[in-house]
Amino acid sequence: MTKKMLATGLAMTLALPALAQGLDFDTLDANGDGFVTMAEFQAAMPDVSVDAFMEADTNADGALSQDELAAAQEEGILPAGDE
């Protein structure tokens, strides 16, 4: 449980600057795996609904690619971060 709490804290610490800088994909991708999970996204944008995230996840793999994130922001599904 301690490891999970530390990992969550680290993800939040790394993702919080996204609020001030806009939603930069590399900032949101806290673990650097090339995808943004719901946990990583909610760490930066806690008010975004699970439904909006799922709508943005067009291939339903549980994570957003850089293209999915950009498309969802363009379509207004997810906030661009400067709102």
Side-chain angles (χ1 to χ4, degrees):
M1 181 149 164
T2 303
K3 288 181 183 179
K4 188 173 186 178
M5 289 174 52
L6 289 173
T8 301
L10 177 61
M12 289 179 67
T13 300
L14 294 173
L16 284 176
L19 291 172
Q21 301 172 1
L23 294 179
D24 175 70
F25 185 84
D26 292 330
T27 301
L28 289 174
D29 181 16
N31 67 1
D33 68 354
F35 297 95
V36 176
T37 64
M38 182 66 182
E40 289 172 323
F41 194 83
Q42 281 194 316
M45 300 297 291
D47 295 332
V48 174
S49 72
V50 172
D51 290 338
F53 185 89
M54 290 172 56
E55 185 178 348
D57 182 15
T58 57
N59 66 359
D61 67 353
L64 299 180
S65 67
Q66 193 162 5
D67 291 339
E68 286 173 320
L69 179 65
Q73 289 172 327
E74 251 180 57
E75 294 172 18
I77 296 167
L78 297 176
D82 54 358
E83 298 174 359

